Short mmCIF file of all heavy atoms in Angstrom, two decimals:
data_model
loop_
_atom_site.label_atom_id
_atom_site.label_comp_id
_atom_site.label_asym_id
_atom_site.label_seq_id
_atom_site.Cartn_x
_atom_site.Cartn_y
_atom_site.Cartn_z
N PHE B 258 -55.39 -85.38 53.75
CA PHE B 258 -55.38 -85.77 52.33
C PHE B 258 -55.03 -87.24 52.19
O PHE B 258 -55.67 -87.97 51.42
CB PHE B 258 -54.36 -84.92 51.56
CG PHE B 258 -54.92 -83.63 51.05
CD1 PHE B 258 -54.50 -82.41 51.55
CD2 PHE B 258 -55.88 -83.64 50.05
CE1 PHE B 258 -55.02 -81.22 51.08
CE2 PHE B 258 -56.41 -82.45 49.56
CZ PHE B 258 -55.98 -81.24 50.09
N ALA B 259 -54.01 -87.67 52.94
CA ALA B 259 -53.57 -89.07 52.83
C ALA B 259 -54.68 -90.01 53.27
O ALA B 259 -55.01 -90.99 52.59
CB ALA B 259 -52.31 -89.29 53.67
N LEU B 260 -55.28 -89.70 54.41
CA LEU B 260 -56.29 -90.60 54.96
C LEU B 260 -57.51 -90.68 54.05
O LEU B 260 -58.15 -91.73 53.94
CB LEU B 260 -56.69 -90.10 56.35
CG LEU B 260 -57.18 -91.16 57.33
CD1 LEU B 260 -56.05 -92.15 57.60
CD2 LEU B 260 -57.62 -90.52 58.62
N SER B 261 -57.82 -89.57 53.38
CA SER B 261 -59.01 -89.57 52.52
C SER B 261 -58.84 -90.55 51.36
O SER B 261 -59.82 -90.97 50.75
CB SER B 261 -59.31 -88.16 52.00
OG SER B 261 -58.34 -87.78 51.04
N GLY B 262 -57.59 -90.93 51.06
CA GLY B 262 -57.38 -91.89 49.98
C GLY B 262 -57.63 -93.32 50.41
O GLY B 262 -57.60 -94.23 49.58
N PHE B 263 -57.89 -93.54 51.71
CA PHE B 263 -58.05 -94.90 52.20
C PHE B 263 -59.49 -95.27 52.49
O PHE B 263 -59.76 -96.33 53.05
CB PHE B 263 -57.21 -95.11 53.48
CG PHE B 263 -55.75 -95.21 53.19
CD1 PHE B 263 -54.96 -94.08 53.16
CD2 PHE B 263 -55.17 -96.45 52.92
CE1 PHE B 263 -53.61 -94.18 52.88
CE2 PHE B 263 -53.82 -96.55 52.64
CZ PHE B 263 -53.03 -95.41 52.62
N ALA B 264 -60.44 -94.38 52.17
CA ALA B 264 -61.85 -94.70 52.44
C ALA B 264 -62.65 -94.49 51.16
O ALA B 264 -62.40 -93.56 50.42
CB ALA B 264 -62.39 -93.82 53.55
N GLU B 265 -63.59 -95.37 50.93
CA GLU B 265 -64.44 -95.26 49.73
C GLU B 265 -65.61 -94.33 49.97
O GLU B 265 -66.02 -93.58 49.10
CB GLU B 265 -64.98 -96.64 49.32
CG GLU B 265 -63.91 -97.61 48.86
CD GLU B 265 -63.09 -97.09 47.70
OE1 GLU B 265 -63.68 -96.41 46.83
OE2 GLU B 265 -61.87 -97.31 47.68
N THR B 266 -66.18 -94.41 51.18
CA THR B 266 -67.41 -93.66 51.46
C THR B 266 -67.22 -92.74 52.66
O THR B 266 -66.28 -92.91 53.44
CB THR B 266 -68.57 -94.60 51.80
OG1 THR B 266 -68.19 -95.34 52.98
CG2 THR B 266 -68.82 -95.60 50.68
N SER B 267 -68.13 -91.79 52.82
CA SER B 267 -68.08 -90.89 53.97
C SER B 267 -68.20 -91.66 55.27
O SER B 267 -67.53 -91.35 56.25
CB SER B 267 -69.23 -89.88 53.89
OG SER B 267 -69.11 -89.11 52.74
N GLU B 268 -69.05 -92.68 55.27
CA GLU B 268 -69.23 -93.48 56.49
C GLU B 268 -67.92 -94.17 56.85
O GLU B 268 -67.51 -94.18 58.01
CB GLU B 268 -70.33 -94.52 56.31
CG GLU B 268 -71.74 -93.96 56.27
CD GLU B 268 -72.09 -93.37 54.91
OE1 GLU B 268 -71.29 -93.54 53.95
OE2 GLU B 268 -73.14 -92.71 54.81
N GLY B 269 -67.30 -94.76 55.84
CA GLY B 269 -66.02 -95.43 56.07
C GLY B 269 -64.99 -94.45 56.59
O GLY B 269 -64.23 -94.75 57.51
N TYR B 270 -64.99 -93.25 56.02
CA TYR B 270 -64.00 -92.27 56.45
C TYR B 270 -64.27 -91.81 57.87
O TYR B 270 -63.34 -91.59 58.64
CB TYR B 270 -63.97 -91.07 55.51
CG TYR B 270 -62.87 -90.12 55.87
CD1 TYR B 270 -61.56 -90.37 55.48
CD2 TYR B 270 -63.11 -89.01 56.67
CE1 TYR B 270 -60.52 -89.54 55.86
CE2 TYR B 270 -62.08 -88.17 57.06
CZ TYR B 270 -60.80 -88.44 56.65
OH TYR B 270 -59.78 -87.61 57.04
N ALA B 271 -65.55 -91.66 58.22
CA ALA B 271 -65.88 -91.22 59.58
C ALA B 271 -65.30 -92.20 60.60
O ALA B 271 -64.71 -91.80 61.61
CB ALA B 271 -67.40 -91.11 59.74
N ALA B 272 -65.44 -93.50 60.31
CA ALA B 272 -64.91 -94.51 61.22
C ALA B 272 -63.38 -94.43 61.26
O ALA B 272 -62.77 -94.39 62.32
CB ALA B 272 -65.36 -95.90 60.78
N LEU B 273 -62.79 -94.35 60.08
CA LEU B 273 -61.33 -94.34 59.98
C LEU B 273 -60.74 -93.13 60.68
O LEU B 273 -59.78 -93.23 61.45
CB LEU B 273 -60.96 -94.33 58.49
CG LEU B 273 -59.50 -94.50 58.13
CD1 LEU B 273 -59.01 -95.85 58.59
CD2 LEU B 273 -59.32 -94.36 56.62
N SER B 274 -61.35 -91.95 60.44
CA SER B 274 -60.76 -90.74 61.01
C SER B 274 -60.91 -90.71 62.52
O SER B 274 -60.03 -90.22 63.23
CB SER B 274 -61.39 -89.50 60.38
OG SER B 274 -62.78 -89.52 60.55
N ASN B 275 -62.00 -91.26 63.03
CA ASN B 275 -62.14 -91.30 64.48
C ASN B 275 -61.15 -92.27 65.10
O ASN B 275 -60.66 -92.06 66.20
CB ASN B 275 -63.57 -91.66 64.88
CG ASN B 275 -64.44 -90.43 64.91
OD1 ASN B 275 -64.06 -89.42 65.48
ND2 ASN B 275 -65.59 -90.49 64.27
#
Side-chain angles (χ1 to χ4, degrees):
Chain B
F258 272 112
L260 208 63
S261 71
F263 286 89
E265 294 303 323
T266 61
S267 299
E268 288 79 9
Y270 185 81
L273 188 62
S274 56
N275 275 312

